[in-house]
Amino acid sequence: MRIIVTGGTGFLGSNLCKRLINDNHKVICIDNNYTGTLENVKELLNSQNFHFIEHDITNPIDIKEKVDQIYNFACPASPVHYQGKAAIMTTKTCVFGAINMLELAKKHNAVILQASTSEVYGEPQVHPQVESYRGNVNPIGIRSCYDEGKRCAESLFFDYYREEGIDIKVVRIFNTYGTNMDPNDGRVVSNYISQALMGEDLTVYGNGLQTRSFCYVDDLIEVIVRMMNSPKDFVGPVNIGNPHEFTVKELAQIVISKIDKSLKIVYKELPLDDPTQRKPDISLAKAKLKWEPKIQLDEGLDKTISYFRTRIGKNIK
Ligand code: UDP
């Protein structure tokens, strides 16, 4: 098949491109490299099946060759990236990007999968989060560019499904970590590992008792591909993630124990609207996609730490 991956040089997109090339597909990777980097796909650049187009999906794009599937992954995803100066751009990427890619799917009669997010649940009052929960999002807060942008994208996907008959798939991705994460990405796993490898204290925001559930990237890519190729009548939204829940303080202690036991935790201010707890209910993914994560935090962190050691390079522990 010929498959488009938007956000293809980012963390998840580049892992997805690798998987699709390994599965012998032709991949068109579209990215404006705002948070992604060609470094993430450097081993694919020589492949005849891999084609990179530098493009911002807030603008329409025409692809002449027949496209079979579109994975829409383009969007800054780290709170540090999407807040502040990139907020308007983030909403535009979510909303205009979704429209442009849905129009492209319509033109090619392609199946299109949207990378949605656990952020659609905001500060959840239902725990663990089930797909039927409608969420508790602050519509005017500093995270809303991402939360509401992704909610609007879901809305657009379902309207194109109902009004235009487009084949859609929507996955809600919970916290994910692993190879090709940018060490300076600002998210918790990358921050802790980079800090520990550099011999710095680990920054825990707030009291560190807020929870997240961390999925290793290989598990996530597997279920994304399964979802894309699932029966036409299963459109989602479906939660995907690892339901093992940890406080961010526990995560810091685990990283310290793996890298350097002499390191300490320093407490920093909790960002505004930072969700208190998050854990996916993955019953739907288990039932419909016959999937559950295989790689638990201990093993996934070891893999990620060795990746970061090579990526950050010298002067590390
Ligand atoms: N966090 C932290 N220290 C850091 C980075 C993040 O304690 O150096 C916390 C953050 O406040 C949040 C959790 O870790 O409660 C996850 O943050 P991240 O940015 O990774 O993703 P989010 O789930 O908030 O989108």
Side-chain angles (χ1 to χ4, degrees):
M1 286 188 279
R2 183 172 289 106
I3 303 176
I4 291 180
V5 179
T6 75
T9 66
F11 164 44
L12 295 180
S14 61
N15 279 287
L16 181 58
C17 287
K18 277 179 209 173
R19 164 67 188 264
L20 297 174
I21 290 286
N22 275 339
D23 289 350
N24 257 328
H25 296 296
K26 293 188 190 321
V27 172
I28 301 175
C29 166
I30 300 178
D31 207 303
N32 65 354
N33 289 335
Y34 177 73
T35 55
T37 163
L38 283 180
E39 182 68 21
N40 283 339
V41 291
K42 64 172 189 282
E43 70 265 42
L44 304 180
L45 290 170
N46 289 330
S47 163
Q48 287 194 334
N49 284 339
F50 184 79
H51 179 46
F52 172 69
I53 302 176
E54 186 166 346
H55 176 79
D56 179 343
I57 61 158
T58 59
N59 301 311
I61 183 166
D62 191 23
I63 303 288
K64 297 273 183 282
E65 306 100 322
K66 171 86 182 83
V67 172
D68 303 291
Q69 297 183 335
I70 303 173
Y71 290 88
N72 189 33
F73 275 65
C75 190
S78 165
V80 174
H81 285 141
Y82 64 65
Q83 289 165 8
K85 290 205 165 63
I88 296 167
M89 185 266 265
T90 297
T91 305
K92 284 183 178 170
T93 306
C94 290
V95 178
F96 298 154
I99 294 171
N100 290 328
M101 290 307 120
L102 284 159
E103 288 293 333
L104 195 62
K106 183 174 155 187
K107 182 186 150 192
H108 287 273
N109 202 14
V111 193
I112 180 165
L113 181 146
Q114 169 67 1
S116 190
T117 169
S118 55
E119 287 280 331
V120 301
Y121 301 121
E123 169 68 17
Q125 288 167 338
V126 169
H127 194 75
Q129 291 77 58
V130 281
E131 290 86 354
S132 55
Y133 176 49
R134 293 182 184 177
N136 177 32
V137 171
N138 175 0
I140 57 166
I142 55 169
R143 294 175 91 97
S144 68
C145 58
Y146 187 73
D147 299 8
E148 299 288 19
K150 290 283 188 179
R151 285 170 69 96
C152 184
E154 282 200 16
S155 158
L156 283 162
F157 267 66
F158 278 84
D159 284 335
Y160 270 79
Y161 173 62
R162 287 183 287 252
E163 276 182 42
E164 305 278 1
I166 305 293
D167 280 341
I168 63 153
K169 307 279 178 190
V170 175
V171 291
R172 291 182 177 155
I173 301 171
F174 283 66
N175 295 65
T176 307
Y177 66 101
T179 53
N180 285 8
M181 246 191 149
D182 178 356
N184 299 313
D185 164 285
R187 279 181 281 192
V188 68
V189 175
S190 42
N191 271 9
Y192 286 173
I193 295 179
S194 311
Q195 288 161 346
L197 290 176
M198 304 295 282
E200 295 164 10
D201 294 336
L202 277 66
T203 54
V204 169
Y205 301 161
N207 59 13
L209 299 181
Q210 66 272 35
T211 68
R212 294 293 187 272
S213 308
F214 301 99
C215 188
Y216 189 67
V217 65
D218 292 358
D219 279 331
L220 197 90
I221 298 298
E222 175 59 33
V223 69
I224 287 167
V225 172
R226 282 187 195 205
M227 179 60 177
M228 175 60 107
N229 297 290
S230 65
K232 194 174 164 134
D233 62 351
F234 182 53
V235 297
V238 58
N239 288 338
I240 55 173
N242 188 321
H244 285 200
E245 187 180 10
F246 295 84
T247 68
V248 300
K249 187 174 166 188
E250 281 168 338
L251 178 69
Q253 285 158 342
I254 296 169
V255 171
I256 286 174
S257 74
K258 283 183 178 292
I259 297 178
D260 178 354
K261 293 190 180 58
S262 71
L263 293 173
K264 306 223 162 1
I265 286 174
V266 286
Y267 290 90
K268 300 254 165 137
E269 206 177 326
L270 185 70
L272 277 175
D273 291 342
D274 196 288
T276 313
Q277 53 181 0
R278 184 182 288 156
K279 167 185 165 124
D281 180 319
I282 58 165
S283 316
L284 187 63
K286 276 186 186 167
K288 292 281 192 181
L289 305 171
K290 307 280 175 272
W291 169 87
E292 62 185 309
K294 293 198 178 85
I295 301 166
Q296 298 307 340
L297 192 65
D298 185 53
E299 184 187 352
L301 280 180
D302 287 343
K303 288 171 185 274
T304 311
I305 290 167
S306 37
Y307 168 75
F308 273 45
R309 276 190 212 278
T310 46
R311 174 116 181 215
I312 299 174
K314 44 192 184 307
N315 301 328
I316 56 167
K317 303 236 168 204

